[in-house]
Every structure is written in structure tokens, then in C-alpha cells.
Amino acid sequence: MQFSAEAFQEGQVLLIDKPLHWSSFQAVNKIKWLLKKEYGLKKIKVGHAGTLDPLATGLLLICTGKATKTITDLQGQEKEYTGTFCLGATTPSYDLETEINQTFPIDHITPEMIEQIRASFLGTTEQRPPIFSALKKDGKRLYEHARKGEEVEISTRPITISDFELTRVALPEIDFRVACSKGTYIRSLAFDFGEKLNSGGHLSALRRTKIGDYDVANALSIEAFEKMVTVDG
């Protein structure tokens, strides 16, 4: 990575490890502010290649300058996530952004059932996005409808899961690693996984580990990036 005003204007793809509770928008704004401050730039384009929810951590690709033209291509790359499903309960947002609204038994769930359900998600399937999402319906974000308690018909859409591994099963928790196509909601995967087990499920932890060939192992924290820019700037 080159640290100069010219390099950032010419275009860089920054690998940032987004912290918990930060929105992707906040991370982009922080990077933009740092570049303008440290390099005296009046204007610079900065954008991200794929949103991460505030309750998720991990790889956020932030593009600067002319590299923002590659955002659409980067968004289309396969992504990998690790995280935890919590069975036996659902939430309206399918994660911990909202409170538990229903509980279900899990005593009937066997290892064989879990394996069968895991395998059923491999390949191309239809998925319904969560109501608490930024997708638009009738000119409004779905989460705006959800927060007003409005009923909205959400269409399913095709997604592809190429790899789905369960790394720890300690009910009610299941840890996983999944590689999936653009547009896959891991929150919906958690909800659907619980439903297929005749129980409930929600996402309790999520980390994005890869986007295409980019790996979070090579990413910088916001603090580390700030230090490097300040030292080199």
C-alpha cells in the first residue's frame, strides 16, 4: 500500500477490519476524514464494496479515488463468513439488533437432523431477505417499514452457497463457516436453519473473513490505519 495523496487519488483498495458496533458508513467517513486531514485533500472519493451490519465485524473493502470504479466488480465476488447461530429463539431482525420475540424447544434436535439441514443449503436456493434490511420496497428501506410495524411482502431471490461447514455444535449454539454469493443474508440463513429444524434461530455473532481473494488476515484495524497514515503522511 502506498501512502501519498497521489496514490490515494489514483486509487487504493484498503482492507479494513471493521470493529463491532460501527456501521460501514461510519468506517468510510472515518477513512475519508483521515485522508483529507493528513494529506490536505479538499475532495476525494471513498466508498465501500459491500455493507457489513454494525453487529458484524471483519473485512470491509474501502476504495479510494479511481478505485471506486471497481466497487461493483468487488461487490460481485464470493464472500466468506464465520459466526454463531443461536437456536430455540427468533428475533424480528434475525439477529441481536432486536429483542427475542418467540422461543421454541430444541430437545428434539439430533446431530443427524443438523447435518441434513446443513447439506440442504448447499448450491443455489431461494432466500427471503430480512425485513430489517436496507433493501427498498415502495421507495422506502425495508427497515423503515419494519420499524413502523408495517406488513410488507418480500420476494425471495436466488443465492448460492458453495461451502457450509459447522465448526462447533453445542446447542443452542452452532458455529459455522460459509462461502456464499453476493446478496446472501447470513441473518436469513440463521432464521431458515432454525425453522427447518422445527425450532427457531437467530444470528448471535458474525465476522466476514473473505471477499474474493481478499482476506481479513491482511486487513488493518481503523486504529492501525490511522497510525500508518499519520506516520507516513
Side-chain angles (χ1 to χ4, degrees):
M1 193 190 300
Q2 293 177 294
F3 289 86
S4 68
E6 295 75 20
F8 285 115
Q9 290 281 28
E10 198 54 36
Q12 301 270 322
V13 178
L14 311 176
L15 278 65
I16 299 297
D17 189 346
K18 187 192 81 64
L20 190 65
H21 301 307
W22 279 53
S23 70
S24 300
F25 187 65
Q26 278 178 294
V28 166
N29 276 352
K30 178 69 172 181
I31 298 294
K32 191 172 188 175
W33 178 81
L34 281 169
L35 295 180
K36 289 171 104 172
K37 173 173 157 289
E38 295 300 329
Y39 297 104
L41 297 169
K42 288 187 178 177
K43 280 176 68 178
I44 184 167
K45 285 185 178 179
V46 182
H48 68 74
T51 304
L52 265 183
D53 290 335
L55 291 180
T57 65
L59 185 59
L60 191 65
L61 295 182
I62 295 184
C63 300
T64 75
K66 292 178 183 175
T68 53
K69 293 176 182 176
T70 69
I71 282 176
T72 301
D73 288 337
L74 291 170
Q75 283 177 331
Q77 302 283 315
E78 184 175 73
K79 298 172 180 68
E80 182 186 270
Y81 298 88
T82 60
T84 304
F85 299 150
C86 187
L87 301 179
T90 56
T91 73
S93 60
Y94 301 173
D95 66 3
L96 295 176
E97 184 188 337
T98 53
E99 297 290 322
I100 287 169
N101 61 349
Q102 262 187 297
T103 57
F104 303 84
I106 60 171
D107 298 346
H108 64 285
I109 298 173
T110 64
E112 292 75 23
M113 286 172 66
I114 290 170
E115 171 52 26
Q116 186 180 5
I117 299 308
R118 179 203 67 81
S120 74
F121 285 102
L122 289 168
T124 300
T125 58
E126 291 287 319
Q127 185 188 70
R128 183 169 277 104
I131 181 67
F132 278 81
S133 66
L135 294 174
K136 283 194 170 179
K137 173 87 173 180
D138 302 330
K140 284 200 297 188
R141 304 284 184 188
L142 285 179
Y143 62 73
E144 293 179 282
H145 290 288
R147 285 170 185 160
K148 289 182 178 178
E150 296 170 352
E151 290 285 328
V152 181
E153 184 65 36
I154 306 171
S155 301
T156 63
R157 53 189 192 172
I159 60 156
T160 301
I161 292 178
S162 60
D163 198 6
F164 187 20
E165 177 188 8
L166 305 183
T167 54
R168 181 182 69 100
V169 177
L171 296 183
E173 292 186 341
I174 295 179
D175 292 349
F176 65 89
R177 181 185 64 81
V178 63
C180 55
S181 63
K182 173 190 175 182
T184 303
Y185 279 89
I186 310 302
R187 286 183 285 143
S188 288
L189 181 62
F191 178 85
D192 294 342
F193 200 95
E195 192 170 57
K196 281 192 174 189
L197 285 167
N198 295 315
S199 181
H202 63 276
L203 188 67
S204 57
L206 185 66
R207 181 165 176 77
R208 185 157 66 198
T209 47
K210 289 181 184 175
I211 299 174
D213 293 329
Y214 296 100
D215 195 309
V216 74
N218 302 316
L220 293 170
S221 66
I222 297 277
E223 293 79 9
F225 179 78
E226 182 169 10
K227 283 180 185 174
M228 291 174 83
V229 169
T230 305
V231 169
D232 290 41

